[in-house]
Amino acid sequence: MWIVVEVPLCFLWLTFAPVADKTAAYFQISLETVNWLSMVYLLISIPFGLVATWVLDSVGLRCAVVLSAWLNMVGSITRMFSVLKFLSLGSQSYWYLIIGQCLCALAQPLIIFSPTKLAALWFPDHQRATANMIASMSNPLGILIANVLSPALVPEGKHIPLMLGIYAVPAVTACALATLGIREKVPPTPPSASATNSNSQPFFTGLKMLLRNKPYIILAVCFGGGIGMFTCFSALLEQILCEKGYSNDFAGLNGALFTVCGLLGAFLLGLYVDRTRKFIESTKISFCLSALASIMFAVVSSALNQAIMLATASSLFGFFGFAIYPIAMELAVECSYPVGEGTSTGLIFVASQIEGVILMILLQALTVHISEDPFSTCALDQDGALDWTTPVLVLAGLCSGLACFYVIFFHTDYKRLHAETFNADLVKAEDRATEDVPEA
């Protein structure tokens, strides 16, 4: 059920990114304006992210999921008004598109912030990392669908209405399933000691504790920056590659490889961490390897006719980068316990959206307009194609800098695991004491 709700949310976010040039031509807008259809998710998640964390920790998981599904459905239907010819909207059509994106963006924090809450409430401690991995990877699965399906549905700009109609169907289906199928807030029997003896702090108290927690702040800055970079990479990949002569289909393939390899990396690392509890070591190694992969992509993407190397770099970047995602979410809970799971993970995502907006604006500002480019396959706007060589190099440099900072400065105790061990030992001691009491 969780995957059914989250996947449509994520491919609605990046509907237009793999076909940005054709979207710009269809609505007669610039590529920068098309990018705002993705960036609006980041902007809205910053203020609404705090609301979403309160909903998760105070109102409950079920309410958050159902509300997210309804917002997503209404947003996907609103987007369709922008392409209905009988409305004769003209230049106003883009505003229906952006309003629909805004409604879908309101849904995103409610569902994306909650995998750790789901894992904590419904799974025992030895399955939490894997459960978190499966729930978290619904996000890149949605990105995968967008990267593959959007170019396939839109070989030409005139097919944009078909794409919007097809994308609305799973959003409506997910809303119906969430409303009718999710009935319980928590399982009848708590699966772990922390779920049984929950002592999560009130929302505002938890926020204060997080802002005073040095390891958590380091994790939020580094991992939030990593999410922001992956957001930019997913949203801008088509524009980066088309200037070098690669088709939208090839860009979609790279996005798909990026995501599929990321799913595989997250699955393998999730299983490993569930068995070994090596959260810190796993994230540090993966962060460094993803930085090396980003450097490889930056170098290869600046050259022509490097399809195999580009596909390899995208695959490695996804494999090591996405592998960090669910483990870092669990690590956020471990280093901030007893703050609520929704608050500790939600604040990281708010930080990631802030960093993502700054990065998106910075990278676009560093592009160079090229009026005549014989190799470009972009559907050109009035200003010509955009050269992304410098922005991609800057992205790789920032990724490497964050990886070094994280490796050097991040250290923490596993507070939740220690609390669960202590509670389990206490229960065993009480049981032994009860057994030793002689019968009267």
Side-chain angles (χ1 to χ4, degrees):
M1 182 65 70
W2 187 270
I3 294 176
V4 170
V5 176
E6 185 171 2
V7 169
L9 181 74
C10 298
F11 65 65
L12 289 176
W13 165 38
L14 289 179
T15 299
F16 305 100
V19 288
D21 52 345
K22 293 180 175 60
T23 303
Y26 181 84
F27 288 102
Q28 297 181 342
I29 55 179
S30 67
L31 283 172
E32 288 83 357
T33 307
V34 174
N35 289 337
W36 276 100
L37 295 172
S38 300
M39 198 168 5
V40 72
Y41 272 72
L42 310 184
L43 288 172
I44 287 178
S45 293
I46 295 169
F48 193 68
L50 297 176
V51 177
T53 59
W54 176 82
V55 171
L56 278 166
D57 282 337
S58 302
V59 181
L61 188 61
R62 179 183 181 276
C63 176
V65 174
V66 174
L67 178 59
S68 175
W70 274 92
L71 287 169
N72 207 41
M73 180 190 72
V74 175
S76 67
I77 293 173
T78 303
R79 298 191 320 168
M80 294 178 62
F81 286 110
S82 66
V83 295
L84 296 178
K85 297 296 184 183
F86 67 86
L87 294 178
S88 302
L89 295 173
S91 60
Q92 300 299 315
S93 61
Y94 176 77
W95 293 106
Y96 281 85
L97 203 61
I98 200 74
I99 289 170
Q101 288 290 95
C102 288
L103 290 171
C104 294
L106 287 171
Q108 188 184 50
L110 291 165
I111 196 77
I112 286 186
F113 289 9
S114 48
T116 51
K117 192 77 173 178
L118 175 72
L121 290 177
W122 288 85
F123 293 89
D125 57 352
H126 65 280
Q127 295 177 357
R128 277 198 300 247
T130 302
N132 192 12
M133 176 273 299
I134 294 172
S136 298
M137 287 302 102
S138 301
N139 182 10
L141 182 59
I143 296 173
L144 167 64
I145 293 173
N147 276 301
V148 173
L149 195 56
S150 289
L153 291 174
V154 188
E156 299 179 19
K158 65 182 180 181
H159 296 106
I160 294 282
L162 172 65
M163 177 180 71
L164 292 178
I166 289 176
Y167 277 10
V169 173
V172 173
T173 305
C175 181
L177 290 174
T179 304
L180 300 175
I182 302 177
R183 299 183 179 276
E184 301 293 337
K185 290 184 178 180
V186 295
T189 304
S192 67
S194 60
T196 304
N197 304 304
S198 178
N199 58 346
S200 295
Q201 299 297 312
F203 177 68
F204 289 105
T205 303
L207 278 180
K208 292 178 183 178
M209 292 175 65
L210 292 178
L211 295 175
R212 296 170 183 168
N213 187 329
K214 181 180 175 181
Y216 179 84
I217 295 297
I218 294 172
L219 182 66
V221 170
C222 295
F223 182 55
I227 297 176
M229 290 176 195
F230 274 65
T231 300
C232 292
F233 184 84
S234 300
L236 301 173
L237 182 60
E238 182 269 338
Q239 297 172 53
I240 293 169
L241 295 182
C242 74
E243 190 272 327
K244 297 300 180 183
Y246 300 101
S247 67
N248 283 2
D249 289 334
F250 178 75
L253 174 63
N254 271 263
L257 288 171
F258 173 70
T259 307
V260 169
C261 292
L263 291 169
L264 177 61
F267 174 73
L268 295 175
L269 195 62
L271 293 177
Y272 173 76
V273 170
D274 260 339
R275 294 185 179 183
T276 64
R277 300 289 193 270
K278 293 183 177 180
F279 295 91
I280 296 175
E281 297 88 344
S282 299
T283 52
K284 286 185 176 183
I285 292 172
S286 295
F287 211 152
C288 291
L289 292 174
S290 67
L292 291 175
S294 72
I295 295 171
M296 178 182 176
F297 181 87
V299 173
V300 173
S301 65
S302 64
L304 301 173
N305 302 318
Q306 298 293 327
I308 294 176
M309 293 299 293
L310 274 172
T312 302
S314 297
S315 301
L316 292 173
F317 194 29
F319 184 87
F320 295 115
F322 273 122
I324 308 170
Y325 185 94
I327 309 305
M329 288 294 96
E330 284 293 307
L331 190 54
V333 177
E334 292 294 340
C335 75
S336 63
Y337 186 84
V339 176
E341 294 87 358
T343 305
S344 60
T345 56
L347 198 60
I348 287 183
F349 275 103
V350 171
S352 76
Q353 309 301 61
I354 295 172
E355 293 176 75
V357 169
I358 295 171
L359 269 175
M360 188 80 82
I361 295 172
L362 173 64
L363 296 179
Q364 290 183 87
L366 292 173
T367 57
V368 177
H369 285 280
I370 303 175
S371 57
E372 294 184 6
D373 188 345
F375 301 104
S376 174
T377 58
C378 305
L380 301 180
D381 61 16
Q382 63 271 24
D383 296 320
L386 294 174
D387 182 3
W388 288 86
T389 302
T390 300
V392 175
L393 288 170
V394 169
L395 191 69
L398 290 172
C399 186
S400 302
L402 282 178
C404 292
F405 184 81
Y406 179 72
V407 168
I408 295 170
F409 293 106
F410 182 78
H411 306 281
T412 188
D413 293 325
Y414 300 150
K415 296 178 181 179
R416 182 174 62 176
L417 286 175
H418 292 166
E420 289 179 338
T421 302
F422 175 79
N423 289 333
D425 291 341
L426 189 62
V427 170
K428 290 179 181 178
E430 290 174 351
D431 290 343
R432 286 196 297 268
T434 302
E435 292 173 358
D436 292 340
V437 173
E439 295 183 4

